[in-house]
């Protein structure tokens, strides 16, 4: 799995912002994918897994928490890292995401420096 | 009752954080209280419910909204269409609400937040009805645009 990234968010604007922030953080990916909800993400991951997923929490069809639980049941995504990206900041939500299988949590608004700090260790 | 000065500060600080970090625009409280939003405007609002219920809104004219979209998406103005503008305004309200919620968690407890909605028109404003508090802060964006941040709330009636 080369350095590959999937951004999962129901807002096309937010997906563009996240992509821009990833570029500004200096992180490089050989392949990037986008999905508008959990179901779309699962379909794409079934075809080809990625190394890192940046995932929103509140989405239609399938939200972030359910997506994370389903990914953790997929052998092909065993090494995939998942970071939740959300406006939610309560410790309860963060702890719940980690318990589901996420590797970390970034709260909106975010900076390129935060992305570098959180994501770089997961890619090395 | 929650301290209104504290809430007003959270609203302004939350908005500053979002605008500086995600839109790359500086904002400051407008110095002239009578500065108004002229012409066709967009109002992006998001509701919340918990021990307190209400809504937070960001309102500005179309030129300002397009500039916000331009900043958020790193597009040229010609590339910013209606969809991008509405989307950007929705995201602004969403993130300002998140930022305010984090700052006031101890005061207002945990609240659930809706999906933002964006409407356009003239002389737009939110209303929560009797028994609610309305905080309105006018902000200056990049010394060029005027926007209104409003937070309406009341204790939950459940």
């Amino acid at each position: 799995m080369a350095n590959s990234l999937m951004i999962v968010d129901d807002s096309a604007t937010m997906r563009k912002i996240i992509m821009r922030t990833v570029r500004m953080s200096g992180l490089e990916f050989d392949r990037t994918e986008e999905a508008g909800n959990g179901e779309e993400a699962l379909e794409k991951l079934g075809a080809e897994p990625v190394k890192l997923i940046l995932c929103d929490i509140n989405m239609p069809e399938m939200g972030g928490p359910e997506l994370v639980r389903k990914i953790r049941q997929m052998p092909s995504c065993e090494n995939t890292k998942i970071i939740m990206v959300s406006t939610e900041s309560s410790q309860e939500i963060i702890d719940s995401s980690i318990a589901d299988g996420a590797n970390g949590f970034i709260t909106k608004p975010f900076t390129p420096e935060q992305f570098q700090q959180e994501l770089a260790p997961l890619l090395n | 009752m929650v301290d209104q000065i504290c809430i007003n500060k959270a609203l302004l600080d939350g908005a500053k954080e979002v605008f500086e970090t995600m839109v790359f625009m500086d904002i400051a409280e407008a110095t002239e209280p009578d500065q108004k939003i002229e012409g066709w405007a967009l109002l992006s609002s998001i509701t919340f419910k918990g021990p307190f219920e209400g809504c937070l809104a960001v309102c500005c004219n179309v030129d300002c909204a397009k500039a916000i979209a331009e900043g958020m998406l790193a597009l040229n103005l010609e590339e910013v269409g209606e969809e991008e503008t509405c989307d950007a305004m929705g995201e602004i309200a969403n993130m300002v609400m998140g930022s305010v919620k984090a700052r006031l968690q101890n005061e207002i407890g945990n609240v659930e937040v809706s999906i933002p909605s964006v409407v356009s028109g003239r002389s737009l404003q939110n209303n929560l009805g009797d028994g609610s508090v309305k905080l309105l802060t006018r902000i200056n964006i990049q010394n060029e645009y005027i926007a209104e941040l409003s937070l309406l709330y009341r204790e939950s009636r459940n």
Side-chain angles (χ1 to χ4, degrees):
Chain A
M1 227 189 308
N3 258 9
S4 48
L5 169 70
M6 179 181 283
I7 298 171
V8 189
D9 197 304
D10 56 324
S11 164
T13 296
M14 187 46 66
R15 294 199 300 269
K16 286 180 188 152
I17 292 169
I18 291 173
M19 190 65 79
R20 185 196 68 188
T21 309
V22 166
R23 276 199 301 270
M24 289 171 72
S25 73
L27 297 167
E28 289 179 0
F29 292 90
D30 305 302
R31 180 169 65 91
T32 55
E33 298 271 359
E34 291 184 26
N37 58 63
E39 274 190 11
E40 200 181 319
L42 280 179
E43 206 176 303
K44 293 189 173 188
L45 289 168
E48 197 171 354
V50 296
K51 193 159 185 181
L52 174 66
I53 298 173
L54 299 176
C55 181
D56 190 15
I57 288 184
N58 296 316
M59 293 182 289
E61 307 300 332
M62 184 190 295
E66 190 181 347
L67 173 62
V68 173
R69 289 192 292 271
K70 286 196 185 306
I71 290 172
R72 288 306 175 224
Q73 292 170 9
M74 295 171 67
S76 59
C77 293
E78 191 184 356
N79 297 318
T80 298
K81 306 295 183 192
I82 307 171
I83 298 287
M84 311 307 287
V85 182
S86 175
T87 52
E88 293 284 357
S89 59
S90 74
Q91 198 57 47
E92 192 185 328
I93 301 272
I94 294 171
D95 291 345
S96 173
S97 299
I98 303 297
D100 282 336
N103 299 95
F105 201 107
I106 293 175
T107 307
K108 299 174 190 174
F110 43 71
T111 62
E113 291 74 29
Q114 277 173 288
F115 269 35
Q116 169 64 231
Q117 207 170 345
E118 290 288 330
L119 308 185
L122 299 176
L123 298 171
N124 292 333
Chain B
M1 199 59 175
V2 189
D3 182 67
Q4 287 185 29
I5 296 174
C6 179
I7 295 177
N8 213 42
K9 186 176 187 313
L11 183 58
L12 193 55
D13 288 348
K16 271 186 184 170
E17 184 185 27
V18 171
F19 272 85
E20 284 168 11
T21 313
M22 306 297 287
V23 192
F24 305 105
M25 286 174 142
D26 290 325
I27 70 167
E29 203 164 353
T31 50
E32 289 169 42
D34 294 334
Q35 282 173 305
K36 290 200 188 316
I37 294 166
E38 304 286 345
W40 200 257
L42 270 73
L43 175 83
S44 175
S45 58
I46 190 162
T47 61
F48 56 88
K49 192 160 176 66
F52 286 86
E53 59 187 24
C55 66
L56 178 149
V58 182
C59 186
C60 62
N61 70 17
V62 169
D63 289 340
C64 178
K66 282 186 174 174
I68 289 170
E70 187 189 8
M72 274 183 110
L73 298 167
L75 295 172
N76 296 321
L77 211 52
E78 310 84 67
E79 296 173 284
V80 175
E82 194 176 315
E83 192 179 334
E84 288 84 8
T85 305
C86 288
D87 232 8
M89 286 295 288
E91 284 301 335
I92 285 282
N94 194 26
M95 287 190 286
V96 173
M97 182 70 230
S99 213
V100 168
K101 183 180 155 183
R103 285 173 160 77
L104 294 177
Q105 197 140 10
N106 291 338
E107 282 81 12
I108 65 172
N110 198 25
V111 294
E112 288 181 8
V113 175
S114 72
I115 296 167
S117 63
V118 181
V119 297
S120 65
R122 292 181 194 275
S123 305
L124 300 169
Q125 54 181 295
N126 274 345
N127 195 326
L128 198 57
D130 294 337
S132 63
V133 176
K134 179 170 183 172
L135 298 177
L136 181 72
T137 300
R138 289 195 177 84
I139 57 172
N140 205 302
I141 302 175
Q142 296 281 89
N143 273 331
E144 194 173 343
Y145 305 105
I146 288 291
E148 287 178 354
L149 307 172
S150 62
L151 184 62
L152 285 74
Y153 65 92
R154 63 185 173 214
E155 285 190 42
S156 262
R157 292 175 176 181
N158 288 341

